[in-house]
């Protein structure tokens, strides 16, 4: 660690996002500690990580989770906490537990929550005069009859993630399979076809210090990205720049866009946390500077970056809905030529640990009675329940 290096604590240590961020921070001369509620987390064995702590699950023991993180911060003189998944919301509610000399890289709870809540985010756009797709919130079976769409629309809970439980429905469908949660109502949103893009930005006080835009390539269920290539889309960057400047947001944030050839650009939802775009940066990009706001020029990934989550590609990428028109020949070619985000030269141990790590996640799937994709993040989700 250089004399100017900081001690950074990264949450959700099982995540590939956490692993890649840890590598980028360590390459910049910073000391990295990670935490997770499961003991077998791939960051634990990374050469980029100097310490690991098992902590309570933020979804099921949020107060205990925050107190333990605050204890670690004080005991180990942590300079910055960078949350990765929806523990961001939990931490934003309990920032007072942390010493003033440690920065939590996030915004206040009100802003985090409005961006996370899919209905509230659309309302924010309306308030700012930003065009939106038609949308409506409903919280009971009786309100379904009041939905007024003249074409297909998506139905998803206002607190949801990773394209889980997104349903395409048509006017008149009874939707009798829906289950209702008082704290987590449903959003109906116009279904629009077009070119799909995702973004990732590192932001301080509304100013973007690092940014990536990537098209939806290989993706679980056609939505949750498995491959990442860099594109330049000025319209998207301008949209993100203007919106964030108006909010004074601090933290990591991603947006999902649809660019329709006739109707233009629309933002589907916001993820006020780390997204897969962090995996597109290389050490020489020095994205670590963005978290501390020390770079003068915008940091972006290299134009030639081609990366993928190869374990995810092996499990899901061969499926027709994930390939999205690509042939199996193209799939095998890309599997050979794209760089893996997990196993990299000089830091192979996380890849070796993957079978054991997934065995632990499978135990969580059985415990919580959810599928593999849901079980990966289930105990780090936040569905609107106040602490």
């Amino acid at each position: 660690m250089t004399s100017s290096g900081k001690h950074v604590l990264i949450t959700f240590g099982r995540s590939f996002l956490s692993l890649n961020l840890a590598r980028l921070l360590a390459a910049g001369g910073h000391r990295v500690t990670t935490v997770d509620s499961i003991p077998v987390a791939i960051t634990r064995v990374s050469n980029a990580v100097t310490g690991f702590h098992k902590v309570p699950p933020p979804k099921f023991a949020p107060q205990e989770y925050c107190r333990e993180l605050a204890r670690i911060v004080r005991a180990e003189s942590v300079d910055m906490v960078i949350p990765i998944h929806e523990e961001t919301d939990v931490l934003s509610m309990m920032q007072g537990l942390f010493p003033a000399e440690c920065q939590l890289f996030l915004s206040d709870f009100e802003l985090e929550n409005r961006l996370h809540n899919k209905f509230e985010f659309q309302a924010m756009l309306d308030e700012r005069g930003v065009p939106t797709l038609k949308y409506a919130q409903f919280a009971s079976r009786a309100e379904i009859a009041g939905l007024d769409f003249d074409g297909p629309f998506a139905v998803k809970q206002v607190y949801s993630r990773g394209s889980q439980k997104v349903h395409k429905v048509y006017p008149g469908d009874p939707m009798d399979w829906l289950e209702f949660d008082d704290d987590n109502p449903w959003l109906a949103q116009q279904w629009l076809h077009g070119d799909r893009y995702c973004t990732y930005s590192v932001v301080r006080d509304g100013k973007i210090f690092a940014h990536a835009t990537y098209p939806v390539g290989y993706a679980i269920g056609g939505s949750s990205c498995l491959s990442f290539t860099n594109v330049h889309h000025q319209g998207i960057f301008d949209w993100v720049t203007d919106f964030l400047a108006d909010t004074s947001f601090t933290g990591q944030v991603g947006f999902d866009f649809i660019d329709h050839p006739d109707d233009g650009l629309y933002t589907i939802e916001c993820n006020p946390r780390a997204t897969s775009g962090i995996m597109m940066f290389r050490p020489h990009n020095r994205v670590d500077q963005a978290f501390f706001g020390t770079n003068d020029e915008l940091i972006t990934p290299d134009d030639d970056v081609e990366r993928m989550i190869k374990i995810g590609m092996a499990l899901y990428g061969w499926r027709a809905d994930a390939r999205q028109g690509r042939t199996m020949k193209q799939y095998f070619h890309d599997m050979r030529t794209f760089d893996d985000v997990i196993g990299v030269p000089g830091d192979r141990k996380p890849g070796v640990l993957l079978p054991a790590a997934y065995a632990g996640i499978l135990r969580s799937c059985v415990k919580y009675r959810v599928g593999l994709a849901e079980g990966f993040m289930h105990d780090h989700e936040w569905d609107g329940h106040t602490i």
Side-chain angles (χ1 to χ4, degrees):
M1 186 170 67
T2 66
S3 58
S4 60
K6 303 291 187 180
H7 185 185
V8 181
L9 186 151
I10 302 175
T11 65
F12 202 38
R14 77 189 73 171
S15 172
F16 310 138
L17 282 62
S18 304
L19 175 64
N20 280 264
L21 177 56
R23 288 167 171 164
L24 294 168
L25 289 170
H30 307 284
R31 176 186 170 193
V32 179
T33 294
T34 63
V35 299
D36 204 309
S37 58
I38 61 173
V40 185
I42 56 173
T43 56
R44 185 170 190 163
V45 296
S46 171
N47 294 335
V49 174
T50 59
F52 173 85
H53 295 271
K54 184 178 181 298
V55 296
K59 179 172 185 173
F60 302 109
Q63 294 187 20
E64 294 85 347
Y65 174 81
C66 292
R67 290 192 181 99
E68 179 61 11
L69 260 61
R71 185 197 65 79
I72 295 168
V73 163
R74 287 188 170 87
E76 301 190 6
S77 300
V78 172
D79 297 298
M80 176 179 284
V81 174
I82 303 178
I84 297 297
H85 194 46
E86 292 176 14
E87 65 278 5
T88 305
D89 299 88
V90 174
L91 287 166
S92 70
M93 283 185 271
M94 303 189 73
Q95 296 189 53
L97 291 175
F98 292 81
E101 57 270 22
C102 174
Q103 181 183 6
L104 271 63
F105 196 68
L106 46 75
S107 294
D108 62 81
F109 173 71
E110 181 180 1
L111 180 55
E112 293 283 353
N113 183 46
R114 290 208 78 189
L115 294 173
H116 181 181
N117 183 304
K118 291 173 170 50
F119 174 78
E120 289 293 336
F121 172 61
Q122 296 299 318
M124 285 182 72
L125 300 183
D126 269 343
E127 291 166 6
R128 288 160 172 77
V130 178
T132 67
L133 297 175
K134 186 174 183 177
Y135 69 97
Q137 181 176 264
F138 61 103
S140 68
R141 198 163 306 284
E143 294 177 351
I144 293 176
L147 297 176
D148 181 24
F149 289 85
D150 55 12
F153 55 97
V155 170
K156 51 192 173 182
Q157 287 183 291
V158 299
Y159 295 108
S160 58
R161 73 292 303 166
S163 303
Q164 296 175 20
K165 300 179 181 178
V166 177
H167 309 277
K168 184 178 183 180
V169 299
Y170 291 83
D173 285 356
M175 293 188 282
D176 51 10
W177 35 266
L178 286 180
E179 297 179 357
F180 291 90
D181 178 345
D182 291 341
D183 292 321
N184 195 3
W186 292 86
L187 175 76
Q189 186 176 41
Q190 177 187 348
W191 192 283
L192 183 69
H193 292 285
D195 295 329
R196 294 182 297 157
Y197 299 92
C198 300
T199 68
Y200 168 79
S201 303
V202 181
V203 188
R204 295 183 68 94
D205 299 320
K207 179 180 178 181
I208 301 174
F209 285 82
H211 178 83
T213 300
Y214 51 103
V216 177
Y218 292 94
I220 299 173
S223 298
S224 186
C225 291
L226 295 168
S227 63
F228 314 99
T229 56
N230 187 44
V231 297
H232 297 276
H233 192 303
Q234 192 62 44
I236 287 177
F237 180 70
D238 291 344
W239 190 104
V240 175
T241 300
D242 293 343
F243 177 79
L244 291 173
D246 190 46
T247 64
S248 299
F249 177 83
T250 292
Q252 302 174 91
V253 64
F255 298 89
D256 294 343
F257 288 90
I258 290 182
D259 195 354
H260 190 275
D262 298 320
D263 296 340
L265 190 67
Y266 289 94
T267 311
I268 304 302
E269 62 186 49
C270 173
N271 299 296
R273 53 188 176 271
T275 70
S276 297
I278 187 60
M279 298 188 289
M280 297 171 62
F281 293 91
R282 293 167 173 155
H284 70 263
N285 298 136
R286 290 302 307 274
V287 75
D288 63 290
Q289 295 179 350
F291 286 88
F292 299 99
T294 57
N295 54 298
D296 295 322
E297 300 294 328
L298 179 71
I299 297 170
T300 59
D302 299 329
D303 288 338
D304 65 348
V305 65
E306 292 182 328
R307 307 196 78 192
M308 63 171 48
I309 305 171
K310 291 204 172 181
I311 181 65
M313 286 289 290
L315 290 171
Y316 302 101
W318 54 271
R319 301 177 182 181
D321 61 351
R323 288 186 283 116
Q324 301 184 76
R326 295 174 181 81
T327 65
M328 286 300 293
K329 181 179 180 180
Q330 183 68 43
Y331 165 77
F332 287 118
H333 173 269
D334 292 340
M335 281 287 282
R336 290 193 305 271
T337 58
F338 277 44
D339 294 328
D340 187 18
V341 302
I342 304 166
V344 301
D347 195 24
R348 299 289 189 186
K349 287 182 287 185
V352 174
L353 189 66
L354 268 179
Y358 265 84
I361 292 167
L362 285 171
R363 285 194 292 272
S364 294
C365 294
V366 173
K367 179 179 179 180
Y368 300 123
R369 298 181 181 180
V370 295
L372 181 60
E374 295 90 343
F376 185 82
M377 61 186 77
H378 186 69
D379 63 357
H380 278 63
E381 294 172 355
W382 186 75
D383 292 332
H385 305 291
T386 56
I387 299 175

